Amino acid sequence: MSARQNDTEVSGWVSDPDGRGTFTILSSCILTLSLCVYTSIHLNVRPYKQTELRSWIETIKWVFFGILAPELMVFVAWRQFMSARALDRIVKNIKGSSTKDGQCSNEKCRHGDASSKEYCLENQWTRLHSFYASMGGFVFDLDEYLTQGTDTFTTKFPRLTLTPRGMALLAACGYLPKISAEDILDKNKSDNLSKLLSVLQALWMFAQIISRLYGKLPVTLLEVNTLAHIICAIIIYALWWNKPKLINEPTKLRGDWVPPIAAYMFMSSQISGWRKVRPGILKKDWIDPEFSILAFNPPSSRKAQLSTTSPCALDAEPKFVTDAITDTSGAHRDFLVPDIGSLTKRPSIAYDTSGVPLEIMLSTVESRLESSGDLQTTRWALAAEAMSSYPAIANRIICREVTLHEQVIRWFEPGVEELVDDTVGNWASGNLLRAMSGFVMGMVVWSASMAYGGVHATAWHAHFPSRTEALLWRASSVCIAGSGLTWILINMLARTFPWFKAYWKQVETLRAHWTSLVSLGLLASLCGIAYLFARIFLVVESFISLRKLPASTYDTLEWTQLVPHL
């Protein structure tokens, strides 16, 4: 990408009456960059009651993010694509094992009324549906129950949005919303034609850059930066091709089956819990769901069944926790539903220094939401009903036991997982289904970072207005590419050498020696500042370098004037 020898240097603005000039370079790159970033962004369903202004601010924020860190946008698209693909496989496996002769095995669907058939497993499901569900397309609207005079279980959140994990569980319970691909596409504000036009413009810029290199004509730094965005945009287009865009209103799930399942999903998710602080560099703040302090007390007829399907000692004659604890404080409130079961406080066990249980007591942690009164009573009763009514939910119950004074004490813990939220965020959060390990996901994001830095490093010998700018460009490229390589090497060392893994675990949990923590903390801070500077510099330098370019930069390839383009 270097200029020809003895090529004269041109400073300032260059007009383009017969060929390309400063305006042509700027307009072509800015147009391509804008199309690549804006059209590639596919945000999730708009949060409940979000204003139009707030939606535009969110879009602008992600456009800015896409300009500064396009490879992180690739990671977000890849995570959402993998989650949608995993959900698609899960739902289709459930459909295949739960249908008979093309009909749903659910009795309500086979013999029920029209409203029951709205949520049959025989309903259509495609990759488009999986993307729609993953972006927050299905919700429980709790406000409707209040307006209809029906009891609800929380007034803090008027709407609960199903996560991909929640949608998978809903299908396992036998409910699949009836919405056609055409109905989802009707909500979509984008189409394949607009995506195709954006890809063609990106490919035009890509072909022009390659042709200039082949003809030994210099390429500007702005074109190199645009090329990096083109590569990222094409990958994003491929990953998000089936994802709808600009969906404002989700699909509401209705039916008498909704309250129990919604209450269970709510209590299983962090939205129902309270914030705790745990030591460590990562995940210092954590939110424990309401189920994290509760135990399920099944009816007597189901205790033996749950013990058989759970990892408990089958040869022991247990005493269940609700019978083992004598509580005089009134904290042990048990909301019993006949033939269904109940929820009660989970036991807390005190151990001696050798790990032998000394005492069993009830958890004293209270819920952050409606810790007493009718709302909690309703919520716990509905969740207990879901755990007793649906095998897919009952299979998530974990049997726990401890031997105290030669007596086996047993209890059942509900599963904890992110099933619903107030809204599905646009970042690749833990709400998404994981089809592979965290190490592989890290490999993807940091490999993309290495590729982004590598593209800019191809301009190592390009023309720069000053020696300082050339050094900063090279250092920035190496910094971005090297950060990804460093992360990959650290994780490979941790996976290869147990001693390094143990040491790194001590660092993450702040249990390493203070000298290691201080030195690594300073190093991480300096690297973070350098990484941010490198990001900003590459974008800024791409534009300001146009002030002084070789004269041959403005030479135009003949074939580009014969092809219509923007």
Side-chain angles (χ1 to χ4, degrees):
M1 297 187 182
S2 59
R4 297 171 177 174
Q5 291 184 349
N6 302 323
D7 199 356
T8 59
E9 195 175 70
V10 178
S11 301
W13 185 272
V14 176
S15 59
D16 47 351
D18 300 320
R20 76 175 200 160
T22 306
F23 177 78
T24 300
I25 297 173
L26 272 172
S27 59
S28 180
C29 290
I30 291 175
L31 176 63
T32 304
L33 186 64
S34 301
L35 286 173
C36 287
V37 175
Y38 180 75
T39 60
S40 66
I41 293 176
H42 288 57
L43 299 183
N44 290 336
V45 175
R46 179 189 296 186
Y48 186 48
K49 293 184 178 180
Q50 185 181 77
T51 64
E52 194 71 28
L53 176 61
R54 187 68 185 85
S55 297
W56 273 105
I57 293 175
E58 184 73 9
T59 301
I60 293 173
K61 180 182 75 175
W62 278 89
V63 168
F64 183 74
F65 178 68
I67 292 175
L68 285 181
E71 82 281 9
L72 294 184
M73 289 287 295
V74 172
F75 171 72
V76 172
W78 177 78
R79 277 288 287 119
Q80 293 181 3
F81 169 80
M82 295 301 293
S83 177
R85 189 175 73 167
L87 178 60
D88 192 50
R89 290 176 176 176
I90 291 172
V91 172
K92 289 180 178 177
N93 286 338
I94 293 173
K95 284 168 62 68
S97 60
S98 302
T99 56
K100 300 176 180 178
D101 301 326
Q103 291 186 315
C104 182
S105 59
N106 189 328
E107 289 296 322
K108 290 183 178 180
C109 295
R110 293 169 66 90
H111 306 294
D113 55 17
S115 61
S116 299
K117 298 180 182 297
E118 288 293 316
Y119 299 96
C120 285
L121 288 175
E122 64 188 44
N123 290 331
Q124 179 190 28
W125 194 267
T126 64
R127 182 67 58 83
L128 176 65
H129 289 77
S130 296
F131 263 116
Y132 183 65
S134 298
M135 63 188 293
F138 296 106
V139 300
F140 297 128
D141 201 334
L142 304 183
D143 266 354
E144 290 188 352
Y145 292 93
L146 289 175
T147 57
Q148 295 170 2
T150 307
D151 291 339
T152 185
F153 52 82
T154 178
T155 57
K156 299 291 184 180
F157 301 97
R159 173 176 289 181
L160 300 178
T161 303
L162 272 75
T163 67
R165 298 173 183 271
M167 193 65 232
L169 179 59
L170 190 68
C173 291
Y175 298 105
L176 204 61
K178 184 179 182 180
I179 179 172
S180 66
E182 290 75 17
D183 290 337
I184 297 177
L185 292 174
D186 187 57
K187 294 171 171 281
N188 187 19
K189 303 301 189 299
S190 180
D191 53 43
N192 291 338
L193 179 60
S194 62
K195 295 179 182 179
L196 181 61
L197 292 175
S198 300
V199 170
L200 290 176
Q201 175 63 23
L203 291 176
W204 160 256
M205 173 64 71
F206 182 79
Q208 189 178 14
I209 293 173
I210 297 300
S211 297
R212 293 188 65 84
L213 293 176
Y214 182 77
K216 297 183 179 179
L217 292 175
V219 176
T220 65
L221 299 180
L222 182 58
E223 289 170 317
V224 174
N225 184 262
T226 304
L227 177 62
H229 285 83
I230 289 173
I231 296 173
C232 293
I234 292 176
I235 297 174
I236 293 172
Y237 285 138
L239 294 172
W240 274 345
W241 194 267
N242 290 316
K243 182 181 179 180
K245 186 176 182 180
L246 298 177
I247 302 291
N248 293 330
E249 283 298 323
T251 301
K252 298 177 182 179
L253 305 179
R254 298 182 174 93
D256 55 3
W257 55 271
V258 167
I261 291 181
Y264 173 83
M265 290 186 175
F266 175 78
M267 295 179 66
S268 176
S269 307
Q270 291 182 351
I271 191 175
S272 67
W274 56 92
R275 186 172 297 277
K276 295 177 67 177
V277 179
R278 296 180 179 177
I281 297 175
L282 302 176
K283 289 283 186 184
K284 288 190 66 176
D285 292 335
W286 188 258
I287 300 178
D288 283 330
E290 190 171 12
F291 269 156
S292 64
I293 64 164
L294 298 178
F296 177 54
N297 180 32
S300 300
S301 59
R302 298 202 62 204
K303 287 182 178 179
Q305 177 188 358
L306 287 175
S307 297
T308 303
T309 57
S310 302
C312 286
L314 300 181
D315 57 345
E317 185 65 30
K319 188 174 185 180
F320 289 90
V321 69
T322 48
D323 304 319
I325 301 177
T326 302
D327 178 44
T328 59
S329 65
H332 186 185
R333 292 189 299 156
D334 191 348
F335 302 109
L336 182 64
V337 182
D339 300 323
I340 289 179
S342 62
L343 285 169
T344 187
K345 292 293 180 66
R346 182 177 298 183
S348 177
I349 304 170
Y351 295 89
D352 63 12
T353 56
S354 60
V356 177
L358 293 176
E359 183 183 5
I360 185 170
M361 62 199 77
L362 288 172
S363 173
T364 58
V365 181
E366 290 290 341
S367 171
R368 175 173 62 90
L369 299 168
E370 298 104 12
S371 59
S372 62
D374 294 338
L375 286 174
Q376 189 188 67
T377 303
T378 302
R379 185 167 68 248
W380 289 20
L382 287 172
E385 179 183 347
M387 285 186 279
S388 295
S389 302
Y390 297 98
I393 294 180
N395 291 337
R396 298 159 60 88
I397 298 174
I398 303 172
C399 180
R400 304 291 190 192
E401 64 180 25
V402 64
T403 302
L404 183 65
H405 307 310
E406 299 183 353
Q407 173 67 55
V408 176
I409 309 298
R410 182 173 297 175
W411 67 95
F412 301 98
E413 297 180 0
V416 173
E417 191 176 9
E418 284 300 283
L419 303 175
V420 293
D421 207 339
D422 56 341
T423 185
V424 175
N426 292 296
W427 182 249
S429 65
N431 294 341
L432 299 175
L433 291 168
R434 295 182 64 169
M436 55 194 62
S437 67
F439 175 73
V440 176
M441 291 190 294
M443 285 281 289
V444 171
V445 64
W446 291 115
S447 295
S449 182
M450 290 173 60
Y452 182 78
V455 170
H456 288 83
T458 59
W460 194 276
H461 297 293
H463 178 272
F464 292 89
S466 68
R467 177 66 177 171
T468 301
E469 289 170 85
L471 293 175
L472 288 175
W473 179 277
R474 296 165 185 170
S476 298
S477 302
V478 172
C479 177
I480 293 174
S483 61
L485 180 61
T486 301
W487 186 94
I488 292 174
L489 290 176
I490 289 175
N491 280 267
M492 290 183 65
L493 287 173
R495 292 169 67 89
T496 305
F497 301 104
W499 62 268
F500 187 85
K501 182 178 181 179
Y503 169 74
W504 197 252
K505 191 68 176 179
Q506 288 183 333
V507 172
E508 286 185 339
T509 56
L510 301 180
R511 290 198 296 264
H513 193 269
W514 69 269
T515 55
S516 296
L517 295 177
V518 171
S519 57
L520 289 175
L522 289 175
L523 181 61
S525 300
L526 292 175
C527 290
I529 295 173
Y531 188 87
L532 180 61
F533 171 82
R535 284 276 177 200
I536 298 175
F537 176 79
L538 290 179
V539 176
V540 173
E541 178 63 21
S542 299
F543 286 92
I544 65 175
S545 63
L546 296 178
R547 72 185 189 275
K548 189 180 294 185
L549 295 171
S552 58
T553 304
Y554 302 102
D555 293 345
T556 305
L557 296 168
E558 293 183 4
W559 73 268
T560 59
Q561 296 178 316
L562 303 176
V563 180
H565 61 278
L566 296 177

